[in-house]
Amino acid sequence: AELRALAQRPKVVAVGEIGLDYYRDLSPRAAQRAAFASQLALAAELDLPVIVHVRDAYADALAMIGEWCAAGPHRRGVIHAYSGGPERLDQIMALPFCVGIGGPVTFPKSEDLRQAAARVPLERLLVETDCPYLTPQPYRGRRNEPAYVRYVVEEIARVRGMAVDTLARATAEAARRLFELPPAEAG
C-alpha cells in the first residue's frame, strides 16, 4: 500500500529499482520472485515502466518480464546496469525494454559489455551512473556520481564509432520516450 501511494505521486515516472539478485542470495529466491511479481503488477496497475535490476538471475528475470509484457499493453522498462554481455541481447530486444549501461563499460576487461553496447539499437540504449556504485574507469574504486556518466557516453560512442554528442542526444531521447517525459527545452 505504501509503495502504491508513493508511486502515484505526480513526479514518479517508473517503478524501480526492482528485480532479482541471485549473486549474494541475501533473500530466498522464491521470496525475491514473489516480491518482483508484486512490483511488476503494481507497475501494470499504474501504467508505469519498470527499472529492473538483474544479477546472476537473467533466466528467471527475463521469463517473468516476458510473461508480464505478454499479459497487457504498454508494458515497458529498462534492464538497469546491464551486465549480461551480447548473448542476452536478443532475448531482451524481443521485449519492449531498453538496456541501461553504466561505468563497467569503461573497464579494461569488459569487452563483452562493450560488444553489447555496440549492438543495442540506439533508440533503446540508455546510459547510467548507478551512484554510488559502478564508477567509470578514471575514478574506479571511488564513489560514483552523475558527472561521471560522460565517461560512459564517451566509451559507448567510441565503440559504436559515432560522435559523443550524437550518442548523448540519442540516449536522452530514448529516456524521454521510455519515461514519457516532455521534450528538453532548447538552450
Side-chain angles (χ1 to χ4, degrees), residues 54-143:
V54 183
R55 192 161 183 203
D56 289 352
Y58 278 99
D60 285 352
L62 293 177
M64 290 179 72
I65 292 166
E67 290 174 16
W68 178 72
C69 289
H74 205 234
R75 295 185 182 184
R76 66 222 183 270
V78 58
I79 301 295
H80 153 73
Y82 183 68
S83 62
E87 65 278 357
R88 295 277 184 194
L89 284 179
D90 290 340
Q91 194 175 3
I92 295 168
M93 293 298 100
L95 302 167
F97 266 62
C98 293
V99 173
I101 304 217
V105 75
T106 67
F107 299 172
K109 294 182 180 180
S110 290
E111 188 54 38
D112 280 354
L113 187 54
R114 282 189 285 281
Q115 288 176 21
R119 284 191 46 214
V120 174
L122 192 56
E123 66 275 6
R124 293 174 66 187
L125 179 65
L126 302 181
V127 292
E128 308 175 318
T129 62
D130 199 33
C131 297
Y133 309 108
L134 304 179
T135 309
Q137 189 58 39
Y139 299 98
R140 192 171 179 183
R142 299 185 206 163
R143 185 181 196 282

Side-chain angles (χ1 to χ4, degrees), residues 2-18 36 38-52 65 68-69 72-78 96-97 177-181:
E2 186 175 349
L3 285 176
R4 179 174 287 100
L6 291 170
Q8 291 177 325
R9 290 184 177 181
K11 293 186 179 183
V12 172
V13 298
V15 173
E17 173 177 343
I18 62 175
F36 187 34
S38 293
Q39 294 159 344
L40 288 170
L42 175 64
E45 174 189 326
L46 300 176
D47 192 27
L48 288 171
V50 291
I51 301 168
V52 179
I65 292 166
W68 178 72
C69 289
H74 205 234
R75 295 185 182 184
R76 66 222 183 270
V78 58
F97 266 62
R177 277 191 312 275
L178 173 63
F179 300 117
E180 298 180 345
L181 301 172

